[in-house]
Every structure is written in C-alpha cells, then in structure tokens.
Amino acid sequence: MKSEHGERTEDTAGQLADGGRADPATEAFVAHRNLLFTVAYEMLGSAADAEDVLQETWLRWAGVDLGTVRDQRAYLVRITTRQALSRLRTLGRRRESYVGPWLPEPLLTTPDVAEDVELADSVSMAMLLVLETLTPTERAVFVLREVFDLGYDEIAEAVDKSPAAVRQIAHRARAHVAARRPRGVVSPAETRGALDAFQRAAETGDLQSLLDILAPDVVFLGDGGGVKQAVARPVVGADKVGRLLAAGLGRITAASLRPAEVNACPALILRLDGAIDTVMAVRIDDGLISGFYAVRNPAKLSHMQRETALRR
C-alpha cells in the first residue's frame, strides 16, 4: 500500500544497505515493503506499531541465509505476520484499559489506494473496527486470505496452523466480518459532494445544512485516549450528531480545516496553532455521511504530524 509511512520504511531499509548499495536482502525487503507494511497495519490498526514490526522483520530477515529461502515474499510475509501477531496480543491487553473508545491510528494514503476498491475497503476505519472484533489469529488469516489472496498453505506457515485449520478459521472469520461489514462502494462524486457539503456546514455552523447530509443512523466516534477531550461513548442519530458537530465546529475557520485522504477515505484535518488537533475520517453511504471517526489522541497523531510536515 502506498502511504507516507511506507516511503519512510523504504528509506530506512536503504540506509541499512552496506555503503548505500542495496544488497540482495535489502532489495528483497524493499521490493515487498508495501505489502509487509499493509499486512502489519491491517493486523494492528497502528502505523507506528506496523513500522516497528517492519523493523523487527528486517532485523530477522537480515540474518537469514538467502540461499535457503525458496520464496522470499512468502518468507517475509511469514516473519511479518508472526511479529504482528505477537504485538497484537500485547496490544489487546493494553486496549482493555484504554480510556474511552479506541480508534485505529489514522493513515495518510494516496489516491491510487482509493482506486483499489478491495484494498481501500480493508484499510477503512469502519473495516479496521470490524477486524478488531476478531481474535488475533482470525484477523491474520482474514487479512492474508481475503485482502491479499494468499494460499491456505502459505497462511498456515505464517500462523503455525495446519491448512485444514486455516480453512476453518477463514470461513469463521469471513462469516463474522460479512455480518458486520460496512455497506457498499461509494462513487468519487458522492464522496466529494458529501465532504464539500460537510466542510461548508462545519465552517458556517449551520445546523440544518449539517442535518441535510447526515444519514438517519449516523454514528460519531471519538478517541482522545484519556488525554484530549472526546465523546465517552458513540453518539448515534442525525439530530444528536448534528448538534454535537455544530457546537464543536462552529468556531473553526476555513484556514484550520483542510480535506485529506485518510485510510483511503475522505477526511478533514483540524489544526490548532499549526499542530494537528483532530483527524476526522468520514464514512459515506448513499451520498450521506453515516460515520465520523475523530481521532484526537496525540500519540496517534504524531506520525501524521511529521508526514504532513514533510509534504509541505
């Protein structure tokens, strides 16, 4: 997946090459790093943790005798998956004590990701929240099979299960996700129209304009991590969400609110005093906004702060 984080991973691998020249191990790692980053991110919901997993993958990969490796891509995916599974189990324990709703770390993505419908769906905030309801092994199997279409034998090696067991896990995970999966694909025109309307309404604080673009069952989720103020539980319904947004966004100036593409979905980035204060990803169904995902936890915005600074 092409992302700002993926580009930095490539730079890191390049720096590890001897004398700046890419050795065979580095070349293989760089060739597959987008895939490896996306596997790790979809399993963890955190770009920072995904980068850490890639560093751990590199350290293990650098010590491998390449002459014994039959399929370099499969070998790298196996290392990444095992490292991500280990970290996911640790994160699961941490999230049990997380203050308030937990949302994935927002990830800046490029337009080509949104054009890949299956990939865009898999990294959306809505889908990542669905994946959070799977067990670590189910999540790994689902991501490797449904998103990247890896074979059952290859997945079995990555998760230390038999191919037969992996088939059963995949079936169970697929049914679980299907029952909770976000609705269908939205056209670019619908996306632009809804986001533009929301931005205009937010900048003016016009409640009726906000209500006109909200789905009746719209949901607002906020993640402050106990550090920044955020809603303590989901806010549901157009009237409640509209009033919440009107109260909170009415004072925002056009200069501080900018559109962006986050997790292959439309989003707005709010800056206060030059620093990112909130990243709000938007989910759109049938031309109406059906979900808001507002991330305010500074720990989840530090990477995006650096990435947006690099793009200026």
Side-chain angles (χ1 to χ4, degrees):
M1 174 173 62
K2 195 65 171 177
S3 70
E4 307 303 328
H5 299 281
E7 290 171 359
R8 292 207 302 113
T9 302
E10 180 178 5
D11 292 341
T12 301
Q15 292 166 4
L16 293 170
D18 181 26
R21 297 186 301 274
D23 57 37
T26 302
E27 287 181 350
F29 182 82
V30 170
H32 299 297
R33 53 94 175 154
N34 278 340
L35 166 66
L36 303 177
F37 177 85
T38 308
V39 168
Y41 177 74
E42 292 200 24
M43 287 181 60
L44 300 169
S46 165
D49 286 306
E51 285 186 353
D52 287 345
V53 163
L54 257 65
Q55 294 299 326
E56 292 163 3
T57 298
W58 165 256
L59 291 174
R60 284 161 177 74
W61 174 246
V64 171
D65 179 0
L66 298 188
T68 65
V69 177
R70 178 176 54 83
D71 185 333
Q72 294 182 348
R73 174 178 174 274
Y75 200 103
L76 281 163
V77 168
R78 183 162 68 248
I79 298 174
T80 300
T81 300
R82 289 176 176 174
Q83 294 302 313
L85 274 172
S86 176
R87 186 167 290 247
L88 183 59
R89 294 184 178 109
T90 300
L91 291 175
R93 291 190 290 272
R94 292 181 195 166
R95 288 171 191 169
E96 291 176 359
S97 58
Y98 195 81
V99 178
W102 181 92
L103 288 174
E105 181 182 335
L107 177 70
L108 281 174
T109 48
T110 52
D112 60 310
V113 175
E115 292 169 4
D116 186 331
V117 175
E118 290 186 5
L119 181 57
D121 175 60
S122 70
V123 298
S124 70
M125 286 279 187
M127 178 56 78
L128 289 173
L129 286 175
V130 172
L131 295 183
E132 281 292 308
T133 64
L134 297 172
T135 68
T137 302
E138 287 174 341
R139 185 165 182 169
V141 170
F142 182 87
V143 168
L144 295 177
R145 180 61 182 173
E146 298 300 315
V147 181
F148 300 105
D149 198 29
L150 269 62
Y152 291 112
D153 289 345
E154 190 173 352
I155 298 172
E157 292 185 5
V159 299
D160 291 322
K161 301 285 185 182
S162 70
V166 166
R167 285 179 181 274
Q168 292 180 342
I169 294 170
H171 176 76
R172 185 168 63 247
R174 193 181 303 116
H176 181 96
V177 170
R180 298 162 177 80
R181 197 179 199 106
R183 291 185 284 247
V185 178
V186 182
S187 72
E190 285 181 315
T191 296
R192 285 193 301 271
L195 189 62
D196 289 346
F198 169 69
Q199 187 168 0
R200 287 194 301 271
E203 290 165 357
T204 62
D206 184 347
L207 177 58
Q208 187 55 54
S209 296
L210 280 171
L211 292 174
D212 289 343
I213 59 172
L214 300 181
D217 58 349
V218 61
V219 178
F220 184 101
L221 294 171
D223 180 346
V227 180
K228 287 290 191 75
Q229 183 177 2
V231 293
R233 58 184 58 84
V235 178
V236 182
D239 185 63
K240 290 182 179 179
V241 172
R243 293 184 185 282
L244 173 68
L245 291 170
L249 299 179
R251 298 182 300 275
I252 293 175
T253 64
S256 63
L257 194 65
R258 288 288 181 266
E261 186 172 287
V262 172
N263 293 75
C265 294
L268 293 170
I269 296 179
L270 169 63
R271 289 180 178 274
L272 295 178
D273 299 323
I276 296 177
D277 177 83
T278 305
V279 173
M280 184 180 298
V282 179
R283 174 178 161 189
I284 298 170
D285 291 298
D286 300 323
L288 297 175
I289 297 177
S290 59
F292 291 98
Y293 308 91
V295 180
R296 302 197 68 216
N297 184 348
K300 294 185 178 183
L301 300 178
S302 59
H303 277 76
M304 183 170 286
Q305 179 72 44
R306 290 196 294 270
E307 302 302 346
T308 54
L310 290 173
R311 295 174 63 175
R312 291 183 172 182

